[in-house]
């Protein structure tokens, strides 16, 4: 059975799609995107104007990822690998590759300005990592299109400061000797690079805040909290959100880091008024903004609490 027949047979089996991420991706390619494995399509290439807009939209990402791309390529570049950074739609924004390999990679479409979504070229590292929102390895004949079965890819998605998929980083190789072990090593390398880029983006988004590392065993993604001077949480990476069971709604409502971490707040206030303001804000956040409830928790009258709030500019 050739590759095209195999893909179509497996993709049509609901049980296979339910149990295998690759089969599920193949099924999406056929049913949602209307693709056929034997199509000789290459990735869509953006016009110069479209590519300029995509790069401008991802300016912060490109700045924060550049050094990580250089670091990663210095490790894998001599092994015949191409490195791509894409945006959240799969548009290749930046790349690294050895000059001797450029002709081959450009012919495949592993080049800046190309679109590696599943809708564009079927199951592939970048498109499938973005669609599944997880790191993937797509090894040779796991690609949907027959023309891409000489390619092996290891890709990790990158999340922004609010935990949303904003990019992907990919290592691809055409080498025949890229076995399972080699791909697992490359996969760990891209996941580590993605984690560092996520941390860079988070620090950039909350440059004026105090950043706390949340203990999260076994997690490669950074579990970080951004804290203001009164110990209230300003933001959290996805790993921290999952670890602490928080979302945008809870963050916007006001929640103290000390409550989340089971610790006493410390180090955030330089004098007594600041300390008092921080303490009141934490109590108000615990009371969900209900002044009467906060006053009861503090053992004071509501009028007294209002006076304190006015004095400390908390109204």
């Amino acid at each position: 059975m050739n590759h095209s027949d195999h893909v179509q047979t497996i993709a049509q089996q609901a049980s296979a799609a339910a149990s295998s991420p690759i089969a599920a991706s193949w099924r999406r390619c056929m049913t949602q995107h209307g693709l056929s494995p034997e199509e000789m399509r290459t990735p869509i290439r953006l016009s110069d104007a479209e590519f300029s807009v995509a790069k401008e939209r991802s300016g912060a990402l490109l700045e924060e990822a550049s050094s990580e791309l250089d670091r990663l390529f210095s490790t894998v570049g001599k092994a015949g690998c191409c490195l791509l950074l894409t945006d959240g739609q799969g548009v290749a924004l930046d790349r690294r590759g050895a000059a001797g390999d450029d002709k081959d990679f450009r012919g495949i479409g592993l080049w800046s300005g190309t679109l590696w979504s599943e809708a564009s070229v079927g199951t592939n590292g970048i498109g499938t990592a973005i669609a599944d929102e997880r790191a993937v390895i797509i090894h040779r004949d796991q690609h949907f299109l027959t023309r891409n079965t000489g390619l092996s890819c290891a890709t990790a998605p990158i999340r922004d400061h609010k935990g949303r998929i904003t990019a992907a980083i990919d290592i691809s190789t055409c080498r025949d000797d890229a076995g399972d072990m080699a791909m697992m090593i490359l996969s760990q390398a891209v996941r580590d690079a993605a984690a560092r880029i996520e941390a860079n983006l988070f620090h950039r988004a909350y440059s004026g805040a105090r950043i706390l590392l949340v203990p999260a065993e076994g997690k490669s993604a950074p579990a970080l909290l951004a804290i203001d001077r009164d110990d209230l949480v300003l933001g959290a990476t996805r790993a921290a959100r999952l670890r602490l069971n928080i979302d945008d709604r809870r963050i916007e409502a006001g929640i103290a880091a000390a409550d989340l971490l089971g610790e006493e707040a410390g180090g955030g206030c330089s004098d007594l008024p600041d300390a008092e303001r921080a303490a009141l804000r934490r109590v108000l956040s615990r009371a969900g903004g209900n002044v009467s409830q906060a006053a009861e928790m503090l053992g004071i009258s509501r009028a007294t609490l209002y006076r304190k709030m006015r004095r400390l500019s908390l109204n």
Side-chain angles (χ1 to χ4, degrees), residues 9-113:
T9 299
I10 298 299
Q12 290 167 0
Q13 298 175 3
S15 59
S19 61
S20 165
I22 299 300
S25 175
W26 289 352
R27 190 178 182 89
R28 286 196 299 270
C29 293
M30 294 179 62
T31 61
Q32 295 182 25
H33 307 312
L35 303 178
S36 297
E38 65 273 12
E39 289 184 62
M40 295 303 292
R41 61 165 59 210
T42 56
I44 296 168
R45 183 175 293 277
L46 274 64
S47 68
D48 289 345
E50 291 170 332
F51 185 47
S52 294
V53 170
K55 289 187 69 175
E56 183 177 354
R57 188 168 53 235
S58 299
L61 168 68
L62 288 166
E63 287 182 18
E64 299 302 332
S66 180
S67 62
E68 293 302 331
L69 294 176
D70 291 339
R71 184 207 308 260
L72 185 54
F73 187 68
S74 70
T75 303
V76 304
K78 294 181 180 179
C81 294
C82 173
L83 183 59
L84 284 184
L85 176 75
T86 80
D87 65 13
Q89 286 70 52
V91 175
L93 300 172
D94 200 359
R95 72 176 296 276
R96 302 287 187 277
D101 299 321
D102 280 354
K103 182 178 179 181
D104 291 336
F105 286 130
R106 186 160 196 165
I108 296 170
L110 290 168
W111 208 259
S112 298

Side-chain angles (χ1 to χ4, degrees), residues 5-237:
D5 291 339
H6 175 65
V7 169
Q8 295 194 53
T9 299
I10 298 299
Q12 290 167 0
Q13 298 175 3
S15 59
S19 61
S20 165
I22 299 300
S25 175
W26 289 352
R27 190 178 182 89
R28 286 196 299 270
C29 293
M30 294 179 62
T31 61
Q32 295 182 25
H33 307 312
L35 303 178
S36 297
E38 65 273 12
E39 289 184 62
M40 295 303 292
R41 61 165 59 210
T42 56
I44 296 168
R45 183 175 293 277
L46 274 64
S47 68
D48 289 345
E50 291 170 332
F51 185 47
S52 294
V53 170
K55 289 187 69 175
E56 183 177 354
R57 188 168 53 235
S58 299
L61 168 68
L62 288 166
E63 287 182 18
E64 299 302 332
S66 180
S67 62
E68 293 302 331
L69 294 176
D70 291 339
R71 184 207 308 260
L72 185 54
F73 187 68
S74 70
T75 303
V76 304
K78 294 181 180 179
C81 294
C82 173
L83 183 59
L84 284 184
L85 176 75
T86 80
D87 65 13
Q89 286 70 52
V91 175
L93 300 172
D94 200 359
R95 72 176 296 276
R96 302 287 187 277
D101 299 321
D102 280 354
K103 182 178 179 181
D104 291 336
F105 286 130
R106 186 160 196 165
I108 296 170
L110 290 168
W111 208 259
S112 298
T114 54
L115 175 62
W116 280 87
S117 64
E118 279 192 343
S120 173
V121 285
T123 305
N124 70 91
I126 295 164
T128 303
I130 291 172
D132 283 353
E133 298 193 2
R134 65 181 183 87
V136 299
I137 296 173
I138 306 297
H139 194 34
R140 300 179 71 82
D141 62 3
Q142 292 178 332
H143 285 81
F144 182 80
L145 296 183
T146 301
R147 75 178 304 276
N148 290 333
T149 56
L151 197 61
S152 293
C153 313
T155 315
I158 298 168
R159 296 179 180 273
D160 67 9
H161 61 287
K162 290 195 171 183
R164 303 166 300 197
I165 298 293
T166 193
I169 185 168
D170 170 83
I171 297 176
S172 294
T173 179
C174 298
R175 290 183 56 153
D176 294 335
D177 59 351
D180 291 344
M181 184 58 71
M183 294 309 299
M184 288 177 65
I185 293 171
L186 292 180
S187 180
Q188 185 61 57
V190 294
R191 281 181 284 155
D192 290 344
R196 288 191 291 268
I197 295 169
E198 283 188 15
N200 290 348
L201 291 172
F202 191 77
H203 280 84
R204 182 188 184 108
Y206 299 105
S207 59
R210 186 160 53 103
I211 306 298
L212 298 182
L213 177 63
V214 179
E217 292 184 9
K219 297 287 186 182
S220 59
L224 304 175
L225 289 178
I227 310 298
D228 71 7
R229 67 174 188 169
D230 294 333
D231 188 50
L232 294 180
V233 175
L234 298 172
T237 62

